[in-house]
C-alpha cells in the first residue's frame, strides 16, 4: 500500500533544511565556469572535469555546474524561472556589468522596495540581482 501525502501526520513531515544549491545544467561546461568566475567573480570550490561537474561559490552561496543528469530524459537545457541574488552595492555591480553582460532588464527601483536588474548567463538562464531600497538609503 502506497501512502499519500495527505495520509501522513503533519508532525512526520517536519524537516530541517540546511542549504539549497542550484545545479545548472549546461552543454557548455567550461564556458559556463568561465562566465561565472570571470564575469560574476565566483571561485571554483571543487571541480571534476571527468564527471563534468563543478561547485562554484561567492560569499555565502554555492552553485553547481553540470552536464545534464543521465537519469533524466533528454530535454532542452533550461529553467522556467530565474535565480534571484540579494546583493550589496548594486550600483557598482550594475556599472561593472552593464556594458559586458547580456541584459534582461536594466537597473530600476520597483514598487516592492527593491532596486534590481537582470542579465542572462551564457546558457540563457536569467540572473536577477536586487538590493533593498532601505539598505541603499543607509549606505548613502
Amino acid at each position: 500500500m502506497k501512502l499519500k501525502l495527505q495520509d501522513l501526520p503533519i508532525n512526520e513531515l517536519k524537516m530541517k533544511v540546511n542549504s539549497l544549491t542550484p545545479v545548472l545544467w549546461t552543454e557548455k561546461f567550461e564556458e559556463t565556469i568561465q562566465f561565472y568566475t570571470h564575469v560574476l567573480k565566483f571561485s571554483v570550490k571543487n571541480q571534476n572535469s571527468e564527471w563534468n561537474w563543478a561547485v562554484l561559490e561567492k560569499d555565502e552561496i554555492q552553485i553547481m555546474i553540470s552536464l545534464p543528469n543521465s537519469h533524466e530524459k533528454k530535454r532542452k537545457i533550461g529553467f522556467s524561472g530565474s535565480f534571484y541574488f540579494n546583493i550589496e552595492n548594486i550600483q557598482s555591480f550594475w556599472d561593472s556589468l552593464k556594458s559586458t553582460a547580456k541584459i534582461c532588464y536594466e537597473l530600476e527601483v520597483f514598487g516592492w522596495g527593491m532596486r534590481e536588474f537582470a542579465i542572462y548567463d551564457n546558457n540563457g538562464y536569467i540572473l536577477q540581482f536586487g538590493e533593498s531600497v532601505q539598505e541603499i538609503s543607509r549606505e548613502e
Side-chain angles (χ1 to χ4, degrees):
M1 177 178 163
K2 189 173 182 180
L3 285 176
K4 296 180 182 172
L5 186 61
Q6 62 268 22
D7 295 335
L8 294 174
I10 295 294
N11 60 356
E12 290 184 34
L13 297 176
K14 291 181 182 177
M15 67 174 182
K16 180 180 181 288
V17 178
N18 295 314
S19 67
L20 172 68
T21 306
V23 180
L24 305 181
W25 289 352
T26 180
E27 297 287 352
K28 306 172 225 170
F29 182 71
E30 291 298 332
E31 181 183 316
T32 301
I33 291 173
Q34 294 299 312
F35 176 87
Y36 281 86
T37 56
H38 289 92
V39 176
L40 300 181
K41 307 302 184 207
F42 277 71
S43 60
V44 177
K45 179 179 180 184
N46 198 348
Q47 180 176 351
N48 185 315
S49 294
E50 182 181 327
W51 294 347
N52 294 301
W53 167 96
V55 176
L56 308 176
E57 68 181 0
K58 182 163 180 60
D59 301 319
E60 302 298 317
I61 67 165
Q62 292 185 348
I63 295 174
M64 292 175 67
I65 306 297
S66 173
L67 286 181
N69 187 320
S70 63
H71 297 98
E72 288 285 326
K73 295 177 184 167
K74 185 70 174 163
R75 61 182 179 191
K76 184 180 177 224
I77 300 295
F79 178 71
S80 62
S82 64
F83 297 96
Y84 195 94
F85 298 80
N86 267 298
I87 67 169
E88 296 175 5
N89 304 312
I90 196 163
Q91 183 66 54
S92 63
F93 190 54
W94 166 249
D95 291 341
S96 72
L97 287 179
K98 67 183 177 185
S99 61
T100 57
K102 184 177 177 185
I103 306 300
C104 178
Y105 62 88
E106 295 187 4
L107 183 64
E108 63 182 286
V109 176
F110 290 89
W112 49 86
M114 293 296 286
R115 188 170 186 204
E116 60 186 60
F117 69 92
I119 64 171
Y120 297 98
D121 81 353
N122 66 302
N123 299 287
Y125 293 115
I126 298 172
L127 309 176
Q128 293 175 268
F129 300 91
E131 183 175 20
S132 166
V133 173
Q134 291 177 340
E135 292 299 319
I136 295 168
S137 298
R138 287 185 207 146
E139 292 170 7
E140 294 174 348

